[in-house]
Amino acid sequence: ALAPVPGSEAAFWLEALRAQCTDLHDEAAAFQLDPPSDGGVRFDGIPTLLQLARIEPLCWPAAAGAEALRERARERIALLEQLADQAGVLALMDYRFLYDSARDLLAIGYNVEERRLDASYYDLLASEARLASFVAIAQGQLPQENWFSLGRLLTTSGGEPVLLSWSGSMFEYLMPMLVMPSYEGTLLDQSCRAAVARQIEYGNQLNVPWGVSESGYNMLDAHFTYQYRAFGVPGLGLKRGLGDDVVIAPYASALALMVAPAEATRNLQRLAELGAQGRFGLYEAIDYTPARLPLGQSSALVRSFMVHHQG
């Protein structure tokens, strides 16, 4: 009965809801999740595919229907197993050709045309690269020496020791925490918390929302594509010129939810109030760098959505 304005936000989301309801209805109908009342089948809640694949024809009023249902469930199980196997194959990665055994470090990359490793290495523990090291060591591809060869250069922030990263970005410190164990009281855990505290402090100093990471920024190429690079907070990164840019990425606050949930929630709400919220979530970034702003504007919204940042 609803009649929203065509092309409006309400119309978009109403259609999305209808489509989802249709999908759920079709799925329920295909697997007959509401069995006949005169049958002997009774499910405690929604049945699993394995339960449906084992339905006995004698327990179902129409034996032919039970057979079709079993076959449909078995086909779905086979498809899911195939997808799981495919995902497993895609996850296989040979790290060994990137490993320099003299340094016990992973090279940044491999030049295929020249058939040689790049001359630079992932050499800091406060880096997203520690996730690759962790996984490769767990798989038995790399020796544990790789972990202990990652640099542990220290600085202080708010009177607390903190590991230095390359660019001082939230991504470097916090992304691995999404899937890696974190142990309270360790230098790594302390560094992550100190990094978030420093990011909050830096935003307050500049009187802008906080949360700096690698992201898109307010510069377009010839194809009108936003440019992308690492941004960070001075005092946390080795890279020079970190104070030259002020680009706030909402996904940095989403990462910080793991460390400072109350502060991160307030900051995300502030970003939304500033217009950073779009149809598919929060936009990529707000660029406050004066050199990249139109005359008379104090900020520019980077109107793109990057799926891995949304994730």
Side-chain angles (χ1 to χ4, degrees), residues 133-146:
S133 294
F134 182 83
V135 170
I137 292 168
Q139 291 176 337
Q141 292 196 46
L142 298 184
Q144 291 187 23
E145 284 77 13
N146 173 234

Side-chain angles (χ1 to χ4, degrees), residues 18-33 69 72 76:
R18 283 174 173 155
Q20 187 176 28
C21 289
T22 299
D23 287 344
L24 292 170
H25 177 270
D26 292 347
E27 184 82 353
F31 287 102
Q32 300 178 33
L33 296 185
L69 186 58
R72 199 172 297 127
R76 181 64 62 85

Side-chain angles (χ1 to χ4, degrees), residues 57 61 98 102 130-131 152 159-160 168 180 220 238 247 253 267:
L98 292 167
R130 71 178 180 271
L131 176 56
R152 289 154 169 79
E160 296 289 333
M180 282 180 63
L220 301 170
L238 292 168
V247 181
S253 293
N267 199 52

Side-chain angles (χ1 to χ4, degrees), residues 196-210:
V196 173
R198 171 61 184 143
Q199 289 249 1
I200 294 173
E201 178 187 48
Y202 187 62
N204 291 338
Q205 286 175 357
L206 299 177
N207 196 29
V208 298
W210 54 270

Side-chain angles (χ1 to χ4, degrees), residues 16 23 29 56 58 66-67 73 81 104 114 117 139 170 183 185 187 198 204 230 242 261 270 288 305:
D23 287 344
E56 292 297 329
L58 293 177
E67 188 58 45
E81 289 175 345
D104 282 321
E114 299 182 13
L117 291 174
Q139 291 176 337
M170 201 78 85
Y183 300 102
L187 179 59
R198 171 61 184 143
N204 291 338
L242 291 175
R270 181 180 178 187
Y288 291 92
F305 300 97

Side-chain angles (χ1 to χ4, degrees), residues 229-248:
R229 63 183 170 88
F231 299 101
V233 169
L236 292 177
L238 292 168
K239 186 180 178 182
R240 294 184 179 182
L242 291 175
D244 297 342
D245 300 274
V246 183
V247 181
I248 305 302

Side-chain angles (χ1 to χ4, degrees), residues 136-285:
I137 292 168
Q139 291 176 337
Q141 292 196 46
L142 298 184
Q144 291 187 23
E145 284 77 13
N146 173 234
W147 183 265
F148 297 106
S149 295
L150 294 171
R152 289 154 169 79
L153 299 174
L154 287 172
T155 184
T156 57
S157 180
E160 296 289 333
V162 55
L163 288 163
L164 274 169
S165 65
W166 170 244
S167 65
S169 70
M170 201 78 85
F171 174 76
E172 290 171 289
Y173 284 100
L174 298 188
M175 185 278 286
M177 282 183 66
L178 291 170
V179 290
M180 282 180 63
S182 181
Y183 300 102
E184 191 174 351
T186 61
L187 179 59
L188 199 51
D189 178 74
Q190 184 175 299
S191 293
C192 290
R193 296 181 184 281
V196 173
R198 171 61 184 143
Q199 289 249 1
I200 294 173
E201 178 187 48
Y202 187 62
N204 291 338
Q205 286 175 357
L206 299 177
N207 196 29
V208 298
W210 54 270
V212 183
S213 203
E214 59 176 62
S215 68
Y217 58 101
N218 192 41
M219 183 175 287
L220 301 170
D221 64 11
H223 303 287
F224 297 99
T225 301
Y226 283 111
Q227 300 303 282
Y228 183 98
R229 63 183 170 88
F231 299 101
V233 169
L236 292 177
L238 292 168
K239 186 180 178 182
R240 294 184 179 182
L242 291 175
D244 297 342
D245 300 274
V246 183
V247 181
I248 305 302
Y251 88 92
S253 293
L255 287 172
L257 286 165
M258 297 184 289
V259 174
E263 294 88 341
T265 300
R266 284 195 294 270
N267 199 52
L268 288 166
Q269 290 170 338
R270 181 180 178 187
L271 287 164
E273 290 166 0
L274 289 172
Q277 187 166 336
R279 172 171 286 180
F280 303 110
L282 290 162
Y283 283 110
E284 172 67 0

